[in-house]
Structure formats: structure tokens, C-alpha cells
Amino acid sequence: MTAMTCEEVSRVSALAQPLVFTPKALGPNLAAWIRDNSDALNRQLYEHGAILFRKFKVNGARDFEDVVAALGEPIIEYNNRSTPRTQVRGKIYTSTEYPASETIPLHNENSYSHAWAMKLFFFCVKAPEVGGETPIADSRRVYERIAPAVREEFIRKKVRYVRNYGYLDLPWQEAFQTDNKADVEHSCKSNGIEFEWFDDGRLRTWQTLPAVARHPVTGKDVWFNQAHLFHVSNLGRDLQSALLSSVGEENLPRNAYYGDGTRIDSAALDEVRRAYDAEQIVFPWMAGDVLLLDNMLFAHGRKPFSGARQVLVGMASENRDHGLQPPHDLPT
């Protein structure tokens, strides 16, 4: 690591992830440091999947935008939205604006979509008084931990994501960032999304995608879907019952099925959730921290918190290839 002019000061878990860097000298500019060490940094990212930068100089959203751009890969807009966020500047956004009392399950960003960012950057402007961590989990290890029978059924059948915009989900105008139906239809057709308009202006979409992807650089198979997050079982029992009785299953804000349209047994998704829980790594935020994730190699979430919390997010390097060849261990 000496070639990177930075020392590795701590490892957050026995799995040595994320890799933690702090500067030898006080407060160097993180964007400049990344530009000077981009090749070595990418090698470390492909190996570890997650890197935490601590005690570097990052003063606000403008500096953070420079950090996201420092690897020389295009910064991505937050399109095909599934959660509420606020644009802070350029292509820098707040993290998901859910109530502080809620947990956000571990997931890979936009793995429900045909296009996603390969790299995610998180910048802690203000750490909360209690909680509010961003847990992470190695998607390679999650894949390996899931029971083979469950994993192989998902691989064979894939995942169908269904959304009914409005209700508790985002309105379609916010999700697609337009109030023009023709623009929505063009976006859907361009991204392999089926859609249906209703007489009252409501929109339903659905798309089928692989449950597992192969990383384009490492060649590793990773668990890469949001079935456990979209599925109705992700809601509390009271909310599930209330929604099912009021709008019915087909009109739920969102739900996940197997790709052939059959229901996913909640027990299978519980197996997936147990794998995420077993692999999650949690560390406390410090103001000024920047976390870099390879979005295919590592999932992320959010713990409940109290007190003010401000974490910004930037995304870079779009990918549209799930890796459609059969995973290595799938019988043919």
C-alpha cells in the first residue's frame, strides 16, 4: 500500500471489509488523492468491494461531486426512481428520505432495473446522534450463503418486479422525472419495462430480470436483485393486511414474483434475508467520511436513527449487462 501514499489503519470486521484508509498527513484533498491513485484504488475496490475514506478533506457537496468524478467515470443521474431523494447539486443527491424510525434493507442500488451504477459514493456531512449506520454486505458471500435450492429456483425463474405508482409508492411523475406520458412510455420501451395506463391516470409497470449477475471485471457471481425488498412480505403484517384488504394484491404499490408470474414463497425470501443479516457489516459514521462501494460486489442499507443525519450520494459508471451466461454452479 505504500505506493498509494496512504496507510491502512483499521479493518472494521474480521472479513477485512470495508478497507479503511486515513491519510498520513493531515487533511489532504480526497478528490486529488483519488485521481493520483485511481488504478491502484480500482484494484483494491475489485478485491474488497468497499473502501472507507476517513479524515480526508471533503468540504460539502461541491467537493464531494469532485470526489465522485475523480475516478474519471461518468456521473449518473438518479433515474427510474424507487425512493424519495432531493437533488443537492448537479448529480449529487440526498440519501433515501425515509422516516428515521425505518430500516432500509440491504440491497444493490437499481438491481431491479436494466441499468445501474457500478460505483456508489456516500458522504457523511453530519452523523446522527444514535444509529443511522449504512450497513453493507458482500454480494458474493450472500450468493454463497443462500441455500442452493432457493438460489437455483431464483436463477431459473428470475424475478418480476411490479409497481403501481401512487398509493404508498412514488407517483410516476417523480419516478420518471416527467409529467409527460409519452416520455414515460419511451423510457419504458427503451429499458424493457412493460406498462399499463388506467382510466384514472394511474400507471402500472413490470419487468423481469435475472436474480444473479456476473461481475464484468472479477467474473464472480453475485446475488443481485431486490425481490426481498419489493415483495409484500417486506411490509409489516398490519400494513400488509390493510393494503391487501383495501386495494388487493394486483394493486399493491410494489411486489415481486418469479419471472413466470408465480408467487414467491415468503420462506424463500426469509432465507435471503437471513443471508444478508449474517453477512452484514456495520460501522458508525463520522462526519467527513466517504464510503465507496462497487455496487455489484456490495449491498447497502440503513439503520434507524435519532438526531439529524445528512448523507449525500453520488453514482458513477453505468452498466447494462447483468451477465446472462449461466452462473458457475447452476446445473445445465
Side-chain angles (χ1 to χ4, degrees):
M1 300 306 301
T2 55
M4 300 183 75
T5 67
C6 189
E7 63 184 350
E8 185 179 338
V9 295
S10 66
R11 296 185 183 272
V12 174
S13 76
L15 299 176
Q17 292 161 331
L19 196 61
V20 182
F21 289 119
T22 60
K24 292 180 178 179
L26 182 64
N29 180 279
L30 180 55
W33 186 88
I34 289 176
R35 283 192 292 269
D36 290 342
N37 298 280
S38 58
D39 289 343
L41 185 60
N42 271 317
R43 288 195 296 272
Q44 291 291 336
L45 185 62
Y46 295 141
E47 178 182 353
H48 292 273
I51 299 175
L52 179 65
F53 301 98
R54 180 159 280 176
K55 298 182 180 179
F56 283 83
K57 181 180 178 182
V58 187
N59 294 325
R62 183 171 182 176
D63 279 3
F64 179 54
E65 190 174 37
D66 290 341
V67 169
V68 179
L71 284 174
E73 299 172 3
I75 305 179
I76 300 171
E77 294 182 2
Y78 182 43
N79 294 320
N80 194 10
R81 301 184 180 198
S82 66
T83 58
R85 299 173 189 250
T86 299
Q87 186 175 10
V88 177
R89 61 169 285 124
K91 298 174 184 176
I92 301 301
Y93 304 86
T94 59
S95 56
T96 298
E97 296 173 351
Y98 278 171
S101 60
E102 293 189 19
T103 296
I104 299 177
L106 287 154
H107 63 284
N108 304 87
E109 193 70 26
N110 281 87
S111 54
Y112 59 84
S113 174
H114 283 273
W116 65 92
M118 286 296 294
K119 293 182 172 68
L120 297 182
F121 293 78
F122 299 84
F123 171 41
C124 180
V125 179
K126 183 176 179 59
E129 295 174 6
V130 178
E133 301 93 344
T134 298
I136 57 177
D138 190 324
S139 301
R140 296 162 292 192
R141 296 178 64 91
V142 171
Y143 171 84
E144 293 169 355
R145 184 176 285 274
I146 294 169
V150 172
R151 188 173 64 210
E152 289 169 11
E153 187 167 21
F154 271 101
I155 290 170
R156 282 193 296 270
K157 293 185 175 180
K158 303 182 181 181
V159 179
R160 179 179 298 179
Y161 302 96
V162 180
R163 294 181 68 178
N164 287 288
Y165 299 83
Y167 296 125
L168 296 179
D169 205 349
L170 298 179
W172 59 262
Q173 294 89 338
E174 183 176 349
F176 289 91
Q177 292 291 284
T178 180
D179 57 6
N180 186 308
K181 290 185 177 181
D183 290 341
V184 171
E185 293 177 8
H186 175 75
S187 177
C188 288
K189 291 173 182 177
S190 299
N191 290 285
I193 301 172
E194 302 291 332
F195 62 90
E196 180 181 6
W197 294 104
F198 295 91
D199 292 340
D200 60 3
R202 290 185 299 115
L203 172 66
R204 175 183 297 155
T205 64
W206 62 97
Q207 59 183 328
T208 300
L209 293 167
V212 168
R214 183 166 296 171
H215 194 280
V217 176
T218 68
K220 295 291 186 180
D221 292 329
V222 295
W223 191 253
F224 195 71
N225 66 79
Q226 290 191 24
H228 67 296
L229 198 154
F230 268 66
H231 194 265
V232 64
S233 62
N234 186 51
L235 303 174
R237 289 186 178 180
D238 290 345
L239 183 54
Q240 283 186 56
S241 298
L243 283 172
L244 287 169
S245 63
S246 62
V247 302
E249 181 178 345
E250 67 176 8
N251 291 312
L252 288 169
R254 63 180 71 180
N255 206 355
Y257 300 85
Y258 287 119
D260 60 6
T262 57
R263 290 191 179 99
I264 302 174
D265 191 324
S266 295
L269 294 170
D270 288 341
E271 168 70 14
V272 172
R273 294 181 180 111
R274 284 192 293 269
Y276 275 118
D277 288 345
E279 294 296 336
Q280 77 169 339
I281 301 164
V282 183
F283 61 92
W285 280 117
M286 291 178 56
D289 282 352
V290 172
L291 175 65
L292 168 60
L293 300 181
D294 182 303
N295 184 39
M296 292 187 71
L297 297 181
F298 260 76
H300 68 280
R302 194 202 70 186
K303 296 287 189 181
F305 63 94
S306 60
R309 178 186 190 269
Q310 186 178 10
V311 175
L312 303 184
V313 178
M315 301 175 281
S317 185
E318 185 176 75
N319 193 342
R320 286 178 170 268
D321 179 13
H322 279 81
L324 299 179
Q325 59 268 58
H328 299 134
D329 64 347
L330 182 63
T332 56

